[in-house]
C-alpha cells in the first residue's frame, strides 16, 4: 500500500464497530489486523459522525455483484429478444429503427451500471463507464420524439392538424406563460431543437467530466465551487429539463392524435429511465455528502474519491431497475403490429440478411445528423412553409381527411 494509506491506518483507524476517541492516535499496523488481514484487500469508510473504521461495504461484496448480475442478465435477455423480434419483422423501418434505438437503452444502462459496480474500487473507472451511458440517454430522448413525429406522418402532417389552434394554459404541462398563443411551425422546431441540444450538450459534458476526472477535479457529490461536479450538474440539469419539457409540450399538443399509439406508457417509461435516474443519483450524492451514506476512503486497498459509494448505490439500483424497465418497454413498444404486417407480405430477403440490414440501419446515426442540420438551418422556415401548404388528399367521402389518418394504427 502507499504511504498515505499507511499513515491513515497508523493514526486513526479502528477495526469493526469501535470508535476512535478525540485526539487518539492508536498505532495499528497492517500486520496487527486480525487473522493477518492484508492491507491491499481492506475497505475503509468514514461514518456520518466522521469516525474512520475498517469495515466491509455491501457494494463490493459477492452478494451485491451476484444479485445485480441476475437482474442485469435477465433484463438483457428480455430486451435482446424483443430487439431480435423487431429486426425479424422489420416491416416499417421508419418507425422500428427508432424503437430499436430506444430499446437499446436497457442493455447499455444495465451492463454499463454492472461494470461500474464490478470496478467500483478501480480509480473511479465508473466515471468513464457512466459517461457512455449518459451520452446514450440523450440519443434516446431524440429518438422518442422522432418516433412520435413518424407516427403522425411528419412535420407537415402534424402542422396541418394543429396549426392555428390556441395553446391551452396548463400548469401541469408548463404552458401557463403560453396562454393566448397558437401552435405554429416554430413550436415544432422548438421541440426538435430542445431535444437535439441535449444530444450535443451531454457528450460535451461527458468529455469534460473525463478530463476533469483525469486531473482530479471531479468527484460525484462534491459541490465545492473549486470542483467541476457542481457546474456540470447545473448545466446537465438545465439541458435535460429543457429536452423533457419539449417532450411534454409536444405530447400536450398532439395527445389526441397520438392516442391510437398508446403514448402514455411509452412516455412515462422513457421519462422514468432518464429523468428519475438523474435525480436518483443527485439524491444519493447529497445523502453521502450529508453523512447519511458512509463515505468510502479505501475499497479493496484502493483509495477512492468522494461520491464513490453514492455512485455505487446508483449503479446497483439501476441494475435492479433495468429489469423492470425491460418489462415495461416490452409492453410499451410491442412488435405485434409489425409481425402481423409481415405475415401479410411475402418475405423478400433471407431472415439473417434482413436482420443484418435492419441492424445496420438502426445503428447508423446519419438521420440524426441530417435532422440536426435541417432543424438548425436558416432555410428551415422556408422549407416548412412550403411543406405545410401542400394539398391534403381528400378522403373516400370527398372531404379533406387528416394526413396522419392514412397511417394510423394501434401500436
Amino acid at each position: 500500500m502507499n504511504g498515505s494509506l499507511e499513515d491513515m491506518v497508523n493514526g486513526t483507524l479502528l477495526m469493526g464497530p469501535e470508535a476512535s476517541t478525540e485526539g487518539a492516535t492508536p498505532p495499528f499496523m497492517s500486520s496487527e489486523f486480525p487473522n493477518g488481514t492484508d492491507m491491499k484487500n481492506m475497505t475503509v469508510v468514514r461514518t456520518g459522525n466522521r469516525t474512520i473504521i475498517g469495515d466491509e461495504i455491501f457494494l463490493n461484496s459477492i452478494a451485491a455483484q451476484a444479485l445485480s448480475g441476475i437482474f442485469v442478465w435477465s433484463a438483457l435477455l428480455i430486451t435482446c429478444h424483443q430487439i431480435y423480434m423487431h429486426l425479424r419483422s422489420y416491416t416499417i423501418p421508419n418507425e422500428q429503427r427508432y424503437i430499436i434505438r430506444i430499446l437499446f437503452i436497457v442493455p447499455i444502462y444495465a451492463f454499463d451500471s454492472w461494470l461500474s459496480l464490478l470496478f467500483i474500487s478501480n480509480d473511479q473507472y465508473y466515471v468513464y463507464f457512466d459517461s457512455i451511458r449518459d451520452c446514450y440517454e440523450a440519443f434516446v430522448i431524440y429518438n422518442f420524439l422522432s418516433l412520435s413525429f413518424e407516427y403522425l406522418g411528419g412535420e407537415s402532417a402534424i402542422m396541418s392538424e394543429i396549426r392555428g389552434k390556441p395553446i391551452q394554459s396548463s400548469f401541469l404541462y408548463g404552458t401557463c406563460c403560453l396562454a393566448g398563443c397558437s401552435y405554429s411551425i416554430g413550436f415544432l422546431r422548438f421541440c426538435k431543437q430542445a431535444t437535439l441540444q441535449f444530444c450535443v450538450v451531454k457528450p460535451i459534458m461527458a468529455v469534460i467530466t473525463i478530463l476533469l476526472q483525469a486531473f482530479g477535479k471531479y468527484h460525484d457529490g462534491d459541490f465545492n465551487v473549486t470542483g467541476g461536479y457542481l457546474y456540470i450538474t447545473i448545466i446537465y440539469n438545465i439541458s435535460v429539463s429543457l429536452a423533457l419539457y419539449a417532450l411534454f409540450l409536444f405530447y400536450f399538443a398532439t395527445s389526441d392524435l397520438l392516442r391510437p399509439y398508446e403514448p402514455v406508457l411509452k412516455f412515462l417509461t422513457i421519462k422514468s429511465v432518464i429523468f428519475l435516474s438523474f435525480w436518483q443519483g443527485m439524491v444519493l450524492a447529497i445523502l453521502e455528502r450529508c453523512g447519511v451514506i458512509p463515505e468510502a476512503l479505501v475499497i479493496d486497498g484502493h483509495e477512492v474519491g468522494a461520491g464513490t459509494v453514492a455512485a455505487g448505490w446508483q449503479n446497483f439500483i439501476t441494475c435492479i431497475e433495468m429489469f423492470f424497465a425491460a418489462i415495461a418497454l416490452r409492453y410499451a413498444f410491442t412488435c405485434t403490429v409489425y409481425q402481423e404486417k409481415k405475415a401479410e407480405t411475402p418475405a423478400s430477403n433471407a431472415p439473417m440478411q434482413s436482420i443484418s440490414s435492419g441492424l445496420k440501419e438502426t445503428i447508423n446515426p446519419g438521420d440524426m445528423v441530417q435532422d440536426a442540420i435541417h432543424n438548425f438551418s436558416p432555410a428551415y422556415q422556408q422549407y416548412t412553409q412550403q411543406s405545410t401548404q401542400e394539398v391534403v388528399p381528400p378522403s373516400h367521402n370527398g372531404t379533406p381527411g387528416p394526413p396522419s389518418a392514412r397511417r394510423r394504427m394501434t401500436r
Side-chain angles (χ1 to χ4, degrees), residues 6-65:
E6 289 182 357
D7 292 341
M8 179 183 68
V9 172
N10 293 339
T12 60
L13 182 61
L14 288 177
M15 291 303 297
E18 303 176 35
S20 59
T21 58
E22 185 69 17
T25 56
F28 287 108
M29 299 296 293
S30 60
S31 59
E32 299 177 2
F33 289 124
N35 302 322
T37 303
D38 191 350
M39 287 288 293
K40 68 180 181 180
N41 294 323
M42 277 196 57
T43 296
V44 180
V45 299
R46 179 187 287 133
T47 62
N49 60 5
R50 313 304 292 175
T51 300
I52 298 177
I53 63 175
D55 198 5
E56 293 298 320
I57 59 175
F58 174 71
L59 294 174
N60 68 331
S61 65
I62 298 298
Q65 296 172 357

Side-chain angles (χ1 to χ4, degrees), residues 276-293:
L276 295 183
S277 64
F278 165 73
W279 282 108
Q280 178 177 275
M282 280 285 294
V283 170
L284 290 170
I286 294 173
L287 289 177
E288 180 178 326
R289 185 71 173 176
C290 297
V292 178
I293 298 176

Side-chain angles (χ1 to χ4, degrees), residues 237-288:
N237 189 29
I238 293 174
S239 181
V240 70
S241 298
L242 181 61
L244 289 170
Y245 176 62
L247 287 182
F248 263 114
L249 289 180
F250 181 79
Y251 173 74
F252 182 66
T254 61
S255 57
D256 291 338
L257 302 175
L258 286 171
R259 187 170 291 114
Y261 305 95
E262 301 176 355
V264 176
L265 179 59
K266 296 179 174 67
F267 180 80
L268 291 179
T269 303
I270 298 300
K271 183 177 182 296
S272 298
V273 171
I274 294 175
F275 198 64
L276 295 183
S277 64
F278 165 73
W279 282 108
Q280 178 177 275
M282 280 285 294
V283 170
L284 290 170
I286 294 173
L287 289 177
E288 180 178 326

Side-chain angles (χ1 to χ4, degrees), residues 11 60 78 141 164 275 283 301 322 330 339 367-369 394 403:
N60 68 331
I78 293 172
I141 292 180
F275 198 64
V283 170
M322 284 303 102
R330 190 174 185 87
Q339 291 174 332
D367 59 302
M368 186 185 73
V369 175

Side-chain angles (χ1 to χ4, degrees), residues 291-330:
V292 178
I293 298 176
E295 176 188 352
L297 304 177
V298 179
I299 298 179
D300 292 338
H302 298 274
E303 292 186 69
V304 297
T308 300
V309 176
W313 278 111
Q314 164 76 336
N315 287 315
F316 177 78
I317 296 172
T318 300
C319 291
I320 308 299
E321 291 172 336
M322 284 303 102
F323 171 75
F324 299 99
I327 296 175
L329 288 171
R330 190 174 185 87

